[in-house]
Amino acid sequence: MFKIPVSVLVVIHSTDLQVLLLERADAPGLWQSVTGSQEAGETLRETAMREVHEETGLDATAFTLTDWRMRNQFEIFPRWRHRYAPGVTHNSEHVFSLLLPTPRSVTLAEREHLNQAWLPYEQAAAKCFSWSNAAAIRRLPVIAIPA
């Protein structure tokens, strides 16, 4: 079964702009926020909540999940294209954030992630391998903190 080329990016952060990053198990040394592909029949919000729970054990309904109404279009890295139908080369990524009062340890999905780190947003953005993830983290002070 092939992945749908529509995904979510969920930047998990605290009120003081620390960001949770996860190190990929299938690519050690590559750090990112929660990401994942939409499944058939899911809304983007449902995808975001499911991915947050699968990758961190957090219940997104217990915190503030915000749809940024922002979409990134990018070329799928060749190393992961086999997960998509033949000929699919691009993905549409929808950005969300999840606001936690303070940083907390999470329960990692062992098959997906090796480590976790909470970093100030500037350091988190610099550590991300994905340009879209880094750009979203850099926008946190403007978009994600309620007035």
Side-chain angles (χ1 to χ4, degrees):
M1 186 170 203
F2 295 115
K3 287 183 155 211
I4 297 171
V6 176
S7 66
V8 296
L9 166 67
V10 185
V11 178
I12 300 175
H13 66 97
S14 60
T15 55
D16 65 352
L17 295 179
Q18 292 190 62
V19 174
L20 175 66
L21 289 185
L22 308 172
E23 183 181 17
R24 293 185 67 105
D26 64 355
L30 297 185
W31 291 79
Q32 66 181 54
S33 294
V34 168
T35 62
S37 295
Q38 189 175 40
E39 293 182 356
E42 278 184 328
T43 66
L44 292 169
R45 186 172 194 81
E46 289 168 340
T47 302
M49 291 188 300
R50 176 181 52 76
E51 289 293 341
V52 164
H53 188 263
E54 287 177 3
E55 295 186 21
T56 69
L58 293 172
D59 176 1
T61 64
F63 305 101
T64 303
L65 179 66
T66 302
D67 181 347
W68 289 17
R69 308 236 181 265
M70 188 166 101
R71 181 174 64 97
N72 299 307
Q73 188 80 15
F74 61 84
E75 187 173 352
I76 299 165
F77 286 101
R79 73 189 301 169
W80 291 307
R81 281 197 195 148
H82 67 278
R83 298 175 180 176
Y84 299 87
V88 173
T89 59
H90 286 76
N91 185 69
S92 177
E93 175 186 74
H94 299 264
V95 183
F96 289 77
S97 60
L98 186 68
L99 174 61
L100 279 60
T102 58
R104 63 178 64 200
S105 183
V106 298
T107 304
L108 297 178
E110 291 180 11
R111 292 178 57 215
E112 291 193 52
H113 300 291
L114 301 173
N115 291 304
Q116 60 184 291
W118 282 92
L119 298 169
Y121 83 97
E122 301 97 334
Q123 290 177 23
K127 194 170 184 73
C128 285
F129 78 95
S130 161
W131 67 265
S132 63
N133 198 162
I137 291 170
R138 287 186 185 101
R139 295 193 72 192
L140 275 174
V142 176
I143 294 180
I145 300 298

